[in-house]
Structures are given as structure tokens and as C-alpha cells.
Amino acid sequence: MVVETISNKAYEYDYSIDPNSVDGVLQQCRLILTTIRGTVPLERDLGIDPKAIDKPSNLLIPGLKVDIQQQFKKFVPRATVLGINTTQKDGQIEILVTVGVRDE
């Protein structure tokens, strides 16, 4: 199992990565963290719940952790959430997710 920490910081999607490779699975995880649910045609359930945007952080973080685990379980079954941490700076919340990816 490969273990890596990913975040919701903006990144550029690389279409040349094999989606079945470990890097491809990690990229799919990043896509979930950087996508607002409802914005992807034909996959309206993919991404973070938009209702979370305006919640105070003390209410947001527990629900966000559950949401992320459910999203990964549904859309990236090869990835296992090992831990979720958040940091706050200037009103922005950075989500740090430690993910384990099974080799295949």
C-alpha cells in the first residue's frame, strides 16, 4: 500500500496519467477535494458538499470529514482514508487527507 497526503489546493489535472495507476488514483482523490458537488455534468454527486461553504468552521469540519470519507468510498474504492486534518489561514481551510492506495 502506498501512503500519501494530499490537499484541496488547486492543481492541474494531468490527462496523461493512467487512471488505474497509484498516481491516477491519487489524482482522482485530489479531484474530489477540489470539486464542488453539482458542478460535474453526468456526475452531479462528485465533490464536496456546497452547503459546507458558509458554515462556521466548528460545524464544518466534522461534517466535512464524513463527506470526504463517503466520497472516497463511492468514487475511489482503491483509496483508503487514513486521516483527515485541516488548517485555517486567512479564512481559508486547507484539507489534508492521508490516503492509502492499494497496489494492483
Side-chain angles (χ1 to χ4, degrees), residues 4-83:
E4 188 164 325
T5 300
I6 59 173
S7 79
N8 63 325
K9 287 192 173 191
Y11 76 101
E12 189 168 327
Y13 195 88
D14 185 350
Y15 291 94
S16 67
I17 295 176
D18 176 7
N20 296 315
S21 69
V22 170
D23 287 337
V25 172
L26 291 169
Q27 182 167 256
Q28 292 167 33
C29 293
R30 284 185 197 97
L31 179 66
I32 289 171
L33 293 177
T34 58
T35 301
I36 300 298
R37 190 173 303 148
T39 61
V40 178
L42 305 177
E43 280 294 354
R44 296 291 182 190
D45 198 34
L46 177 82
I48 302 300
D49 187 356
K51 294 176 189 168
I53 293 171
D54 293 326
K55 288 185 180 177
S57 60
N58 63 330
L59 299 176
L60 165 73
I61 293 170
L64 191 60
K65 289 180 178 183
V66 171
D67 191 31
I68 290 168
Q69 289 178 339
Q70 290 173 342
Q71 287 285 304
F72 280 30
K73 191 174 195 177
K74 180 176 182 178
F75 291 105
V76 195
R78 275 184 57 197
T80 303
V81 176
L82 303 175

Side-chain angles (χ1 to χ4, degrees), residues 77-98:
R78 275 184 57 197
T80 303
V81 176
L82 303 175
I84 301 173
N85 294 307
T86 58
T87 60
Q88 297 182 39
K89 183 179 180 184
D90 299 328
Q92 299 288 323
I93 295 178
E94 182 179 8
I95 306 165
L96 302 168
V97 181
T98 303

